[in-house]
Amino acid sequence: LEFSRVLFRSLPAARTAVMALPGVASARVTREWPDSVRIVVTDEVPVVVLAVAEQRVVVARGGRIIGVAPDAEDPSVSALGSIVAADGLNIGMLKVGAQVPDVFAPAVVALEQMTEPLTSAVASIGVAADGSLTLTLRDDSTLGLAGGHVEMGSPDSLPAKLIAAASMVATARMACLDVLDVREPSRPTITRVSGCDAGQPTVGATTVPTTTAPKKSTTTAPASPANNASSSGPPRPQLRGGSRSSSSS
């Protein structure tokens, strides 16, 4: 932008004034003699829509609020991530130009650090009053997803948790997923929807089976006398089906 006969006498003050504008990420102000000042700005990059009760604002990289969000169907925000505050999380008025409240900062960081295929799989990030994070996955058969949640827990070890979640989304059978728990990123746990068969357990994850009705036990015919005579030691107990088990591989 060029202004002729500008009244700015202090270039640093001019830059500070421009930087205060919500949509400006950085600014460079130079004087061009004899009577002009050039101002070059870099726009903020929106990354997420933050929803708190009735408030909806657009948040840029770094957590700065840069505007009030339009309707969700608006093309300008439809491709952005979504952060949703838990019911009862009261943080007051969200002001354009200010930073997001501290409780939401880790969720913004998570969206910035998230990689594929997790980025495309996540519909929204929920933030609880204690700061714990929960990812809601999309219900999209083209992505091999059927909904479910990823329990992240506290923001501690966030990079490791994001890596674990992305790895599981990339390699695990996501059909019938209820909860993917990565609160211990080195030991991710998958819980599936009751009554759904998703196949073999995923390597690297502990699968918590759903509760099913036990199978009827089968009766094994006694061995013949000849076989009894040739066997030694006490008889082996018969195995019965229908027990509930956890498998880890």
PDB file of all heavy atoms in Angstrom, residues 11-49:
ATOM      1  N   LEU A  11       7.840   5.716  11.882  1.00  0.00           N
ATOM      2  CA  LEU A  11       7.601   4.445  11.195  1.00  0.00           C
ATOM      3  C   LEU A  11       7.310   3.302  12.162  1.00  0.00           C
ATOM      4  O   LEU A  11       6.425   2.479  11.894  1.00  0.00           O
ATOM      5  CB  LEU A  11       8.787   4.114  10.299  1.00  0.00           C
ATOM      6  CG  LEU A  11       9.061   5.091   9.147  1.00  0.00           C
ATOM      7  CD1 LEU A  11      10.174   4.547   8.257  1.00  0.00           C
ATOM      8  CD2 LEU A  11       7.812   5.350   8.333  1.00  0.00           C
ATOM      9  N   PRO A  12       8.019   3.185  13.302  1.00  0.00           N
ATOM     10  CA  PRO A  12       7.661   2.124  14.258  1.00  0.00           C
ATOM     11  C   PRO A  12       6.230   2.255  14.766  1.00  0.00           C
ATOM     12  O   PRO A  12       5.528   1.240  14.933  1.00  0.00           O
ATOM     13  CB  PRO A  12       8.672   2.316  15.393  1.00  0.00           C
ATOM     14  CG  PRO A  12       9.852   2.950  14.732  1.00  0.00           C
ATOM     15  CD  PRO A  12       9.265   3.858  13.705  1.00  0.00           C
ATOM     16  N   ALA A  13       5.776   3.486  15.009  1.00  0.00           N
ATOM     17  CA  ALA A  13       4.405   3.673  15.466  1.00  0.00           C
ATOM     18  C   ALA A  13       3.410   3.267  14.381  1.00  0.00           C
ATOM     19  O   ALA A  13       2.355   2.691  14.662  1.00  0.00           O
ATOM     20  CB  ALA A  13       4.183   5.120  15.876  1.00  0.00           C
ATOM     21  N   ALA A  14       3.764   3.569  13.133  1.00  0.00           N
ATOM     22  CA  ALA A  14       2.890   3.180  12.027  1.00  0.00           C
ATOM     23  C   ALA A  14       2.793   1.662  11.936  1.00  0.00           C
ATOM     24  O   ALA A  14       1.707   1.105  11.724  1.00  0.00           O
ATOM     25  CB  ALA A  14       3.426   3.762  10.723  1.00  0.00           C
ATOM     26  N   ARG A  15       3.938   0.990  12.092  1.00  0.00           N
ATOM     27  CA  ARG A  15       3.932  -0.466  12.024  1.00  0.00           C
ATOM     28  C   ARG A  15       3.100  -1.056  13.157  1.00  0.00           C
ATOM     29  O   ARG A  15       2.332  -2.008  12.953  1.00  0.00           O
ATOM     30  CB  ARG A  15       5.357  -1.017  12.087  1.00  0.00           C
ATOM     31  CG  ARG A  15       5.449  -2.533  12.015  1.00  0.00           C
ATOM     32  CD  ARG A  15       6.878  -3.023  12.067  1.00  0.00           C
ATOM     33  NE  ARG A  15       6.925  -4.456  11.958  1.00  0.00           N
ATOM     34  CZ  ARG A  15       6.725  -5.299  12.986  1.00  0.00           C
ATOM     35  NH1 ARG A  15       6.460  -4.812  14.193  1.00  0.00           N
ATOM     36  NH2 ARG A  15       6.792  -6.602  12.786  1.00  0.00           N
ATOM     37  N   THR A  16       3.232  -0.517  14.352  1.00  0.00           N
ATOM     38  CA  THR A  16       2.459  -1.000  15.495  1.00  0.00           C
ATOM     39  C   THR A  16       0.963  -0.848  15.245  1.00  0.00           C
ATOM     40  O   THR A  16       0.167  -1.745  15.563  1.00  0.00           O
ATOM     41  CB  THR A  16       2.854  -0.238  16.767  1.00  0.00           C
ATOM     42  OG1 THR A  16       4.248  -0.457  17.033  1.00  0.00           O
ATOM     43  CG2 THR A  16       2.043  -0.710  17.961  1.00  0.00           C
ATOM     44  N   ALA A  17       0.584   0.286  14.647  1.00  0.00           N
ATOM     45  CA  ALA A  17      -0.831   0.512  14.361  1.00  0.00           C
ATOM     46  C   ALA A  17      -1.360  -0.492  13.344  1.00  0.00           C
ATOM     47  O   ALA A  17      -2.467  -1.021  13.477  1.00  0.00           O
ATOM     48  CB  ALA A  17      -1.036   1.938  13.853  1.00  0.00           C
ATOM     49  N   VAL A  18      -0.555  -0.794  12.331  1.00  0.00           N
ATOM     50  CA  VAL A  18      -0.984  -1.766  11.315  1.00  0.00           C
ATOM     51  C   VAL A  18      -1.046  -3.168  11.904  1.00  0.00           C
ATOM     52  O   VAL A  18      -1.979  -3.934  11.629  1.00  0.00           O
ATOM     53  CB  VAL A  18      -0.032  -1.726  10.109  1.00  0.00           C
ATOM     54  CG1 VAL A  18      -0.384  -2.841   9.118  1.00  0.00           C
ATOM     55  CG2 VAL A  18      -0.105  -0.376   9.414  1.00  0.00           C
ATOM     56  N   MET A  19      -0.073  -3.511  12.736  1.00  0.00           N
ATOM     57  CA  MET A  19      -0.046  -4.841  13.346  1.00  0.00           C
ATOM     58  C   MET A  19      -1.229  -5.081  14.267  1.00  0.00           C
ATOM     59  O   MET A  19      -1.592  -6.224  14.540  1.00  0.00           O
ATOM     60  CB  MET A  19       1.262  -5.045  14.112  1.00  0.00           C
ATOM     61  CG  MET A  19       2.480  -5.240  13.237  1.00  0.00           C
ATOM     62  SD  MET A  19       2.483  -6.841  12.415  1.00  0.00           S
ATOM     63  CE  MET A  19       2.630  -7.947  13.819  1.00  0.00           C
ATOM     64  N   ALA A  20      -1.834  -4.022  14.760  1.00  0.00           N
ATOM     65  CA  ALA A  20      -2.976  -4.165  15.663  1.00  0.00           C
ATOM     66  C   ALA A  20      -4.230  -4.613  14.922  1.00  0.00           C
ATOM     67  O   ALA A  20      -5.198  -5.055  15.546  1.00  0.00           O
ATOM     68  CB  ALA A  20      -3.243  -2.852  16.389  1.00  0.00           C
ATOM     69  N   LEU A  21      -4.229  -4.506  13.597  1.00  0.00           N
ATOM     70  CA  LEU A  21      -5.375  -4.960  12.823  1.00  0.00           C
ATOM     71  C   LEU A  21      -5.479  -6.482  12.901  1.00  0.00           C
ATOM     72  O   LEU A  21      -4.483  -7.183  12.710  1.00  0.00           O
ATOM     73  CB  LEU A  21      -5.238  -4.510  11.365  1.00  0.00           C
ATOM     74  CG  LEU A  21      -5.173  -2.993  11.135  1.00  0.00           C
ATOM     75  CD1 LEU A  21      -4.905  -2.692   9.664  1.00  0.00           C
ATOM     76  CD2 LEU A  21      -6.461  -2.333  11.591  1.00  0.00           C
ATOM     77  N   PRO A  22      -6.674  -7.033  13.195  1.00  0.00           N
ATOM     78  CA  PRO A  22      -6.804  -8.475  13.445  1.00  0.00           C
ATOM     79  C   PRO A  22      -6.313  -9.374  12.319  1.00  0.00           C
ATOM     80  O   PRO A  22      -5.808 -10.458  12.573  1.00  0.00           O
ATOM     81  CB  PRO A  22      -8.316  -8.640  13.665  1.00  0.00           C
ATOM     82  CG  PRO A  22      -8.781  -7.303  14.108  1.00  0.00           C
ATOM     83  CD  PRO A  22      -7.931  -6.314  13.385  1.00  0.00           C
ATOM     84  N   GLY A  23      -6.455  -8.961  11.072  1.00  0.00           N
ATOM     85  CA  GLY A  23      -6.097  -9.837   9.974  1.00  0.00           C
ATOM     86  C   GLY A  23      -4.658  -9.750   9.519  1.00  0.00           C
ATOM     87  O   GLY A  23      -4.274 -10.388   8.545  1.00  0.00           O
ATOM     88  N   VAL A  24      -3.832  -8.971  10.241  1.00  0.00           N
ATOM     89  CA  VAL A  24      -2.449  -8.749   9.833  1.00  0.00           C
ATOM     90  C   VAL A  24      -1.513  -9.595  10.684  1.00  0.00           C
ATOM     91  O   VAL A  24      -1.477  -9.461  11.911  1.00  0.00           O
ATOM     92  CB  VAL A  24      -2.066  -7.259   9.938  1.00  0.00           C
ATOM     93  CG1 VAL A  24      -0.592  -7.058   9.599  1.00  0.00           C
ATOM     94  CG2 VAL A  24      -2.948  -6.423   9.022  1.00  0.00           C
ATOM     95  N   ALA A  25      -0.729 -10.470  10.025  1.00  0.00           N
ATOM     96  CA  ALA A  25       0.237 -11.291  10.746  1.00  0.00           C
ATOM     97  C   ALA A  25       1.562 -10.567  10.932  1.00  0.00           C
ATOM     98  O   ALA A  25       2.220 -10.698  11.961  1.00  0.00           O
ATOM     99  CB  ALA A  25       0.469 -12.606  10.008  1.00  0.00           C
ATOM    100  N   SER A  26       1.991  -9.814   9.911  1.00  0.00           N
ATOM    101  CA  SER A  26       3.227  -9.050  10.003  1.00  0.00           C
ATOM    102  C   SER A  26       3.120  -7.848   9.074  1.00  0.00           C
ATOM    103  O   SER A  26       2.305  -7.833   8.143  1.00  0.00           O
ATOM    104  CB  SER A  26       4.445  -9.910   9.634  1.00  0.00           C
ATOM    105  OG  SER A  26       4.367 -10.312   8.269  1.00  0.00           O
ATOM    106  N   ALA A  27       3.953  -6.849   9.330  1.00  0.00           N
ATOM    107  CA  ALA A  27       3.915  -5.633   8.524  1.00  0.00           C
ATOM    108  C   ALA A  27       5.312  -5.050   8.407  1.00  0.00           C
ATOM    109  O   ALA A  27       6.112  -5.133   9.346  1.00  0.00           O
ATOM    110  CB  ALA A  27       2.959  -4.611   9.130  1.00  0.00           C
ATOM    111  N   ARG A  28       5.574  -4.450   7.258  1.00  0.00           N
ATOM    112  CA  ARG A  28       6.838  -3.749   7.038  1.00  0.00           C
ATOM    113  C   ARG A  28       6.512  -2.354   6.514  1.00  0.00           C
ATOM    114  O   ARG A  28       5.777  -2.205   5.531  1.00  0.00           O
ATOM    115  CB  ARG A  28       7.713  -4.520   6.046  1.00  0.00           C
ATOM    116  CG  ARG A  28       9.058  -3.866   5.751  1.00  0.00           C
ATOM    117  CD  ARG A  28       9.979  -4.861   5.037  1.00  0.00           C
ATOM    118  NE  ARG A  28       9.372  -5.404   3.836  1.00  0.00           N
ATOM    119  CZ  ARG A  28       9.468  -4.830   2.627  1.00  0.00           C
ATOM    120  NH1 ARG A  28      10.128  -3.683   2.485  1.00  0.00           N
ATOM    121  NH2 ARG A  28       8.915  -5.388   1.578  1.00  0.00           N
ATOM    122  N   VAL A  29       7.044  -1.352   7.186  1.00  0.00           N
ATOM    123  CA  VAL A  29       6.759   0.037   6.842  1.00  0.00           C
ATOM    124  C   VAL A  29       8.067   0.733   6.478  1.00  0.00           C
ATOM    125  O   VAL A  29       9.023   0.716   7.253  1.00  0.00           O
ATOM    126  CB  VAL A  29       6.081   0.776   8.017  1.00  0.00           C
ATOM    127  CG1 VAL A  29       5.747   2.219   7.627  1.00  0.00           C
ATOM    128  CG2 VAL A  29       4.811   0.038   8.448  1.00  0.00           C
ATOM    129  N   THR A  30       8.111   1.309   5.290  1.00  0.00           N
ATOM    130  CA  THR A  30       9.306   2.036   4.842  1.00  0.00           C
ATOM    131  C   THR A  30       8.896   3.388   4.250  1.00  0.00           C
ATOM    132  O   THR A  30       7.809   3.521   3.678  1.00  0.00           O
ATOM    133  CB  THR A  30      10.084   1.229   3.780  1.00  0.00           C
ATOM    134  OG1 THR A  30       9.210   0.943   2.687  1.00  0.00           O
ATOM    135  CG2 THR A  30      10.622  -0.066   4.362  1.00  0.00           C
ATOM    136  N   ARG A  31       9.783   4.371   4.393  1.00  0.00           N
ATOM    137  CA  ARG A  31       9.535   5.685   3.824  1.00  0.00           C
ATOM    138  C   ARG A  31      10.175   5.779   2.443  1.00  0.00           C
ATOM    139  O   ARG A  31      11.311   5.355   2.248  1.00  0.00           O
ATOM    140  CB  ARG A  31      10.120   6.775   4.732  1.00  0.00           C
ATOM    141  CG  ARG A  31       9.658   8.177   4.376  1.00  0.00           C
ATOM    142  CD  ARG A  31      10.381   9.201   5.241  1.00  0.00           C
ATOM    143  NE  ARG A  31      10.190   8.968   6.648  1.00  0.00           N
ATOM    144  CZ  ARG A  31       9.110   9.370   7.350  1.00  0.00           C
ATOM    145  NH1 ARG A  31       8.146  10.013   6.729  1.00  0.00           N
ATOM    146  NH2 ARG A  31       9.036   9.121   8.635  1.00  0.00           N
ATOM    147  N   GLU A  32       9.429   6.309   1.509  1.00  0.00           N
ATOM    148  CA  GLU A  32       9.938   6.510   0.159  1.00  0.00           C
ATOM    149  C   GLU A  32       9.894   8.003  -0.158  1.00  0.00           C
ATOM    150  O   GLU A  32       8.811   8.603  -0.268  1.00  0.00           O
ATOM    151  CB  GLU A  32       9.108   5.705  -0.860  1.00  0.00           C
ATOM    152  CG  GLU A  32       9.230   4.199  -0.651  1.00  0.00           C
ATOM    153  CD  GLU A  32       8.570   3.411  -1.759  1.00  0.00           C
ATOM    154  OE1 GLU A  32       7.863   4.022  -2.593  1.00  0.00           O
ATOM    155  OE2 GLU A  32       8.754   2.179  -1.786  1.00  0.00           O
ATOM    156  N   TRP A  33      11.052   8.572  -0.220  1.00  0.00           N
ATOM    157  CA  TRP A  33      11.147  10.008  -0.430  1.00  0.00           C
ATOM    158  C   TRP A  33      10.714  10.367  -1.861  1.00  0.00           C
ATOM    159  O   TRP A  33      10.889   9.583  -2.789  1.00  0.00           O
ATOM    160  CB  TRP A  33      12.580  10.485  -0.152  1.00  0.00           C
ATOM    161  CG  TRP A  33      12.987  10.256   1.269  1.00  0.00           C
ATOM    162  CD1 TRP A  33      13.795   9.284   1.744  1.00  0.00           C
ATOM    163  CD2 TRP A  33      12.593  11.036   2.390  1.00  0.00           C
ATOM    164  NE1 TRP A  33      13.933   9.377   3.105  1.00  0.00           N
ATOM    165  CE2 TRP A  33      13.209  10.450   3.534  1.00  0.00           C
ATOM    166  CE3 TRP A  33      11.778  12.163   2.560  1.00  0.00           C
ATOM    167  CZ2 TRP A  33      13.035  10.953   4.823  1.00  0.00           C
ATOM    168  CZ3 TRP A  33      11.621  12.659   3.848  1.00  0.00           C
ATOM    169  CH2 TRP A  33      12.227  12.058   4.959  1.00  0.00           C
ATOM    170  N   PRO A  34      10.091  11.531  -2.002  1.00  0.00           N
ATOM    171  CA  PRO A  34      10.055  12.578  -0.966  1.00  0.00           C
ATOM    172  C   PRO A  34       8.797  12.570  -0.110  1.00  0.00           C
ATOM    173  O   PRO A  34       8.777  13.158   0.968  1.00  0.00           O
ATOM    174  CB  PRO A  34      10.109  13.861  -1.799  1.00  0.00           C
ATOM    175  CG  PRO A  34       9.363  13.509  -3.049  1.00  0.00           C
ATOM    176  CD  PRO A  34       9.692  12.065  -3.318  1.00  0.00           C
ATOM    177  N   ASP A  35       7.725  11.905  -0.554  1.00  0.00           N
ATOM    178  CA  ASP A  35       6.459  12.127   0.157  1.00  0.00           C
ATOM    179  C   ASP A  35       5.588  10.878   0.259  1.00  0.00           C
ATOM    180  O   ASP A  35       4.370  10.962   0.263  1.00  0.00           O
ATOM    181  CB  ASP A  35       5.664  13.240  -0.538  1.00  0.00           C
ATOM    182  CG  ASP A  35       5.402  12.927  -2.010  1.00  0.00           C
ATOM    183  OD1 ASP A  35       5.826  11.839  -2.448  1.00  0.00           O
ATOM    184  OD2 ASP A  35       4.787  13.752  -2.696  1.00  0.00           O
ATOM    185  N   SER A  36       6.207   9.698   0.338  1.00  0.00           N
ATOM    186  CA  SER A  36       5.418   8.473   0.384  1.00  0.00           C
ATOM    187  C   SER A  36       5.922   7.528   1.469  1.00  0.00           C
ATOM    188  O   SER A  36       7.084   7.561   1.861  1.00  0.00           O
ATOM    189  CB  SER A  36       5.453   7.747  -0.966  1.00  0.00           C
ATOM    190  OG  SER A  36       4.892   8.535  -1.986  1.00  0.00           O
ATOM    191  N   VAL A  37       5.009   6.673   1.919  1.00  0.00           N
ATOM    192  CA  VAL A  37       5.334   5.581   2.835  1.00  0.00           C
ATOM    193  C   VAL A  37       4.749   4.301   2.252  1.00  0.00           C
ATOM    194  O   VAL A  37       3.593   4.281   1.804  1.00  0.00           O
ATOM    195  CB  VAL A  37       4.774   5.834   4.250  1.00  0.00           C
ATOM    196  CG1 VAL A  37       4.850   4.560   5.095  1.00  0.00           C
ATOM    197  CG2 VAL A  37       5.511   6.957   4.934  1.00  0.00           C
ATOM    198  N   ARG A  38       5.549   3.282   2.219  1.00  0.00           N
ATOM    199  CA  ARG A  38       5.083   1.988   1.718  1.00  0.00           C
ATOM    200  C   ARG A  38       4.858   1.044   2.895  1.00  0.00           C
ATOM    201  O   ARG A  38       5.740   0.862   3.735  1.00  0.00           O
ATOM    202  CB  ARG A  38       6.076   1.378   0.745  1.00  0.00           C
ATOM    203  CG  ARG A  38       5.636   0.023   0.169  1.00  0.00           C
ATOM    204  CD  ARG A  38       6.696  -0.547  -0.744  1.00  0.00           C
ATOM    205  NE  ARG A  38       6.839   0.275  -1.939  1.00  0.00           N
ATOM    206  CZ  ARG A  38       6.095   0.105  -3.031  1.00  0.00           C
ATOM    207  NH1 ARG A  38       5.170  -0.838  -3.070  1.00  0.00           N
ATOM    208  NH2 ARG A  38       6.296   0.880  -4.085  1.00  0.00           N
ATOM    209  N   ILE A  39       3.687   0.421   2.906  1.00  0.00           N
ATOM    210  CA  ILE A  39       3.335  -0.545   3.953  1.00  0.00           C
ATOM    211  C   ILE A  39       3.027  -1.877   3.282  1.00  0.00           C
ATOM    212  O   ILE A  39       2.116  -1.970   2.456  1.00  0.00           O
ATOM    213  CB  ILE A  39       2.123  -0.075   4.778  1.00  0.00           C
ATOM    214  CG1 ILE A  39       2.396   1.286   5.418  1.00  0.00           C
ATOM    215  CG2 ILE A  39       1.786  -1.112   5.853  1.00  0.00           C
ATOM    216  CD1 ILE A  39       1.198   1.851   6.143  1.00  0.00           C
ATOM    217  N   VAL A  40       3.804  -2.897   3.633  1.00  0.00           N
ATOM    218  CA  VAL A  40       3.598  -4.243   3.088  1.00  0.00           C
ATOM    219  C   VAL A  40       3.155  -5.152   4.238  1.00  0.00           C
ATOM    220  O   VAL A  40       3.842  -5.235   5.266  1.00  0.00           O
ATOM    221  CB  VAL A  40       4.879  -4.792   2.445  1.00  0.00           C
ATOM    222  CG1 VAL A  40       4.642  -6.192   1.892  1.00  0.00           C
ATOM    223  CG2 VAL A  40       5.357  -3.853   1.337  1.00  0.00           C
ATOM    224  N   VAL A  41       2.017  -5.810   4.057  1.00  0.00           N
ATOM    225  CA  VAL A  41       1.478  -6.647   5.130  1.00  0.00           C
ATOM    226  C   VAL A  41       1.393  -8.101   4.675  1.00  0.00           C
ATOM    227  O   VAL A  41       1.265  -8.398   3.476  1.00  0.00           O
ATOM    228  CB  VAL A  41       0.085  -6.169   5.581  1.00  0.00           C
ATOM    229  CG1 VAL A  41       0.146  -4.728   6.072  1.00  0.00           C
ATOM    230  CG2 VAL A  41      -0.929  -6.309   4.468  1.00  0.00           C
ATOM    231  N   THR A  42       1.478  -9.002   5.642  1.00  0.00           N
ATOM    232  CA  THR A  42       1.230 -10.432   5.433  1.00  0.00           C
ATOM    233  C   THR A  42      -0.016 -10.808   6.207  1.00  0.00           C
ATOM    234  O   THR A  42      -0.116 -10.522   7.413  1.00  0.00           O
ATOM    235  CB  THR A  42       2.412 -11.282   5.915  1.00  0.00           C
ATOM    236  OG1 THR A  42       3.586 -10.891   5.203  1.00  0.00           O
ATOM    237  CG2 THR A  42       2.145 -12.767   5.696  1.00  0.00           C
ATOM    238  N   ASP A  43      -0.967 -11.408   5.530  1.00  0.00           N
ATOM    239  CA  ASP A  43      -2.234 -11.749   6.176  1.00  0.00           C
ATOM    240  C   ASP A  43      -2.077 -12.929   7.136  1.00  0.00           C
ATOM    241  O   ASP A  43      -1.241 -13.807   6.935  1.00  0.00           O
ATOM    242  CB  ASP A  43      -3.284 -12.111   5.127  1.00  0.00           C
ATOM    243  CG  ASP A  43      -3.678 -10.926   4.271  1.00  0.00           C
ATOM    244  OD1 ASP A  43      -3.519  -9.786   4.728  1.00  0.00           O
ATOM    245  OD2 ASP A  43      -4.139 -11.151   3.131  1.00  0.00           O
ATOM    246  N   GLU A  44      -2.914 -12.920   8.157  1.00  0.00           N
ATOM    247  CA  GLU A  44      -3.024 -14.077   9.034  1.00  0.00           C
ATOM    248  C   GLU A  44      -3.614 -15.246   8.247  1.00  0.00           C
ATOM    249  O   GLU A  44      -4.390 -15.059   7.298  1.00  0.00           O
ATOM    250  CB  GLU A  44      -3.952 -13.767  10.217  1.00  0.00           C
ATOM    251  CG  GLU A  44      -3.414 -12.730  11.198  1.00  0.00           C
ATOM    252  CD  GLU A  44      -2.508 -13.342  12.246  1.00  0.00           C
ATOM    253  OE1 GLU A  44      -2.020 -14.468  12.010  1.00  0.00           O
ATOM    254  OE2 GLU A  44      -2.300 -12.699  13.277  1.00  0.00           O
ATOM    255  N   VAL A  45      -3.240 -16.474   8.629  1.00  0.00           N
ATOM    256  CA  VAL A  45      -3.771 -17.674   7.981  1.00  0.00           C
ATOM    257  C   VAL A  45      -4.782 -18.335   8.919  1.00  0.00           C
ATOM    258  O   VAL A  45      -4.412 -18.839   9.982  1.00  0.00           O
ATOM    259  CB  VAL A  45      -2.638 -18.668   7.652  1.00  0.00           C
ATOM    260  CG1 VAL A  45      -3.205 -19.940   7.029  1.00  0.00           C
ATOM    261  CG2 VAL A  45      -1.615 -18.026   6.734  1.00  0.00           C
ATOM    262  N   PRO A  46      -6.054 -18.319   8.571  1.00  0.00           N
ATOM    263  CA  PRO A  46      -7.054 -18.953   9.440  1.00  0.00           C
ATOM    264  C   PRO A  46      -6.886 -20.468   9.451  1.00  0.00           C
ATOM    265  O   PRO A  46      -6.617 -21.067   8.401  1.00  0.00           O
ATOM    266  CB  PRO A  46      -8.386 -18.537   8.810  1.00  0.00           C
ATOM    267  CG  PRO A  46      -8.061 -18.270   7.379  1.00  0.00           C
ATOM    268  CD  PRO A  46      -6.659 -17.730   7.361  1.00  0.00           C
ATOM    269  N   VAL A  47      -7.044 -21.070  10.628  1.00  0.00           N
ATOM    270  CA  VAL A  47      -6.889 -22.522  10.729  1.00  0.00           C
ATOM    271  C   VAL A  47      -8.090 -23.219  11.350  1.00  0.00           C
ATOM    272  O   VAL A  47      -8.306 -24.408  11.116  1.00  0.00           O
ATOM    273  CB  VAL A  47      -5.621 -22.900  11.538  1.00  0.00           C
ATOM    274  CG1 VAL A  47      -4.376 -22.472  10.811  1.00  0.00           C
ATOM    275  CG2 VAL A  47      -5.654 -22.297  12.931  1.00  0.00           C
ATOM    276  N   VAL A  48      -8.890 -22.490  12.130  1.00  0.00           N
ATOM    277  CA  VAL A  48      -9.943 -23.188  12.871  1.00  0.00           C
ATOM    278  C   VAL A  48     -11.061 -22.228  13.245  1.00  0.00           C
ATOM    279  O   VAL A  48     -10.847 -21.013  13.383  1.00  0.00           O
ATOM    280  CB  VAL A  48      -9.354 -23.824  14.159  1.00  0.00           C
ATOM    281  CG1 VAL A  48      -8.870 -22.769  15.127  1.00  0.00           C
ATOM    282  CG2 VAL A  48     -10.359 -24.736  14.839  1.00  0.00           C
ATOM    283  N   VAL A  49     -12.248 -22.802  13.387  1.00  0.00           N
ATOM    284  CA  VAL A  49     -13.384 -22.079  13.947  1.00  0.00           C
ATOM    285  C   VAL A  49     -13.578 -22.563  15.378  1.00  0.00           C
ATOM    286  O   VAL A  49     -13.713 -23.769  15.622  1.00  0.00           O
ATOM    287  CB  VAL A  49     -14.665 -22.315  13.129  1.00  0.00           C
ATOM    288  CG1 VAL A  49     -15.872 -21.704  13.838  1.00  0.00           C
ATOM    289  CG2 VAL A  49     -14.519 -21.726  11.732  1.00  0.00           C
TER     290      VAL A  49
END
